[in-house]
Each structure stands twice: as structure tokens, then as C-alpha cells.
């Protein structure tokens, strides 16, 4: 048996996206670095057509704006995407729930995508 000790300092931390009460999808600084976000780039957001119960999102980052993509915007040091209409159409209740995504890299047919693993929990004070 050969043991390999892992270095906790080398593990990627806080690679997350969060839906704000405004419906915007915001990114931690670590996520923005991992996804190499910049103004001028855009994101394509996909769902799993084969599984209606899959609430995860699948993201592709583009170097420019494409027809089916949303532009990446920046406020201060933080990047975000205006996703309110999209999340409303998906019936994500981001007003009454905290919705976050753990982000991991995914390769499909030689293309790099990012899987946004859906996580949801009730807010302490829900708004009706």
C-alpha cells in the first residue's frame, strides 16, 4: 500500500455561485477566478433535458456574447449575471429560499463545462 497525504491548502475552496434576492447569479471571488470571468465574456446556461428532476445547471463560458448567452457583469470586485427572468421561468424560489451552487468542472465530448450543483434551504424570514 502506498499512502499519499493530501495538502488541504491546495484544495479549491468556496467555488460557489449564489442567486441573490434580486434574481442575479453572483460568484465568489474564488469561483470568478476558476471560471476566468471577465467583462465582455458571457455564459450559456443549460439544463439536463433527459432528467426533469435534475435541478443542476450546466454552464459554458464564452469569450464573447453569443445569441443564447448572458453577459457577465461586474460590480466592484464581484461578477454576476442578470438571471432573474431565467430563474423565474425555472420556478426557482430565490425570494423565500437561499439557492446556492457548488461549482465543479465537467468535460463532455472534449468540451469543458461547469456543473452548478443545486442546493436550497429556507430563509429564516420568508417573504410572501
Amino acid at each position: 500500500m502506498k499512502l499519499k497525504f493530501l495538502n488541504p491548502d491546495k484544495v479549491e475552496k468556496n467555488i460557489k455561485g449564489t442567486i441573490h434576492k434580486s434574481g442575479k447569479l453572483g460568484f465568489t471571488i474564488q469561483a470568478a477566478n476558476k471560471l476566468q470571468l471577465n467583462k465582455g465574456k458571457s455564459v450559456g446556461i443549460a439544463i439536463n433535458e433527459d432528467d426533469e428532476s435534475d435541478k443542476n445547471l450546466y454552464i459554458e463560458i464564452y469569450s464573447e456574447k453569443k445569441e443564447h448567452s448572458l453577459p457577465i457583469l461586474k460590480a466592484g470586485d464581484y461578477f454576476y449575471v442578470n438571471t432573474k427572468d431565467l430563474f423565474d421561468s425555472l420556478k426557482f424560489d430565490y425570494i423565500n429560499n437561499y439557492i446556492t451552487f457548488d461549482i465543479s468542472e465537467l468535460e463532455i465530448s472534449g468540451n469543458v463545462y461547469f456543473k452548478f450543483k443545486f442546493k436550497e434551504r429556507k430563509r429564516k424570514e420568508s417573504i410572501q
Side-chain angles (χ1 to χ4, degrees):
M1 176 189 310
K2 182 178 178 185
L3 298 178
K4 177 183 176 185
F5 288 91
L6 305 175
N7 184 345
D9 294 332
K10 301 275 184 195
V11 175
E12 291 181 334
K13 299 173 186 158
N14 208 20
I15 310 297
K16 295 189 181 303
T18 302
I19 304 176
H20 300 264
K21 280 187 176 182
S22 64
K24 294 176 183 173
L25 176 60
F27 301 93
T28 61
I29 292 171
Q30 295 85 351
N33 290 335
K34 172 75 175 173
L35 276 57
Q36 299 178 351
L37 300 181
N38 284 308
K39 284 179 73 174
K41 288 187 172 185
S42 65
V43 297
I45 302 175
I47 58 172
N48 180 356
E49 266 188 325
D50 292 333
D51 184 356
E52 289 182 18
S53 67
D54 182 356
K55 287 187 148 187
N56 300 319
L57 300 177
Y58 301 88
I59 307 294
E60 186 172 17
I61 308 294
Y62 305 115
S63 58
E64 74 282 333
K65 177 81 172 99
K66 292 200 175 192
E67 184 178 328
H68 67 276
S69 69
L70 295 168
I72 295 170
L73 305 168
K74 187 174 183 186
D77 290 335
Y78 296 94
F79 289 94
Y80 68 95
V81 179
N82 280 327
T83 47
K84 182 183 184 330
D85 293 338
L86 175 74
F87 292 143
D88 287 347
S89 73
L90 292 172
K91 298 185 181 1
F92 285 1
D93 186 4
Y94 52 83
I95 300 291
N96 295 306
N97 299 308
Y98 289 108
I99 299 176
T100 60
F101 301 94
D102 289 333
I103 302 171
S104 59
E105 198 168 305
L106 179 67
E107 188 175 320
I108 302 172
S109 303
N111 294 319
V112 174
Y113 301 95
F114 295 94
K115 179 179 180 179
F116 281 48
K117 184 178 177 191
F118 184 89
K119 292 167 62 174
E120 179 179 44
R121 67 179 170 88
K122 281 280 185 209
R123 292 187 188 272
K124 290 185 180 177
E125 293 181 30
S126 44
I127 301 169
Q128 295 300 331

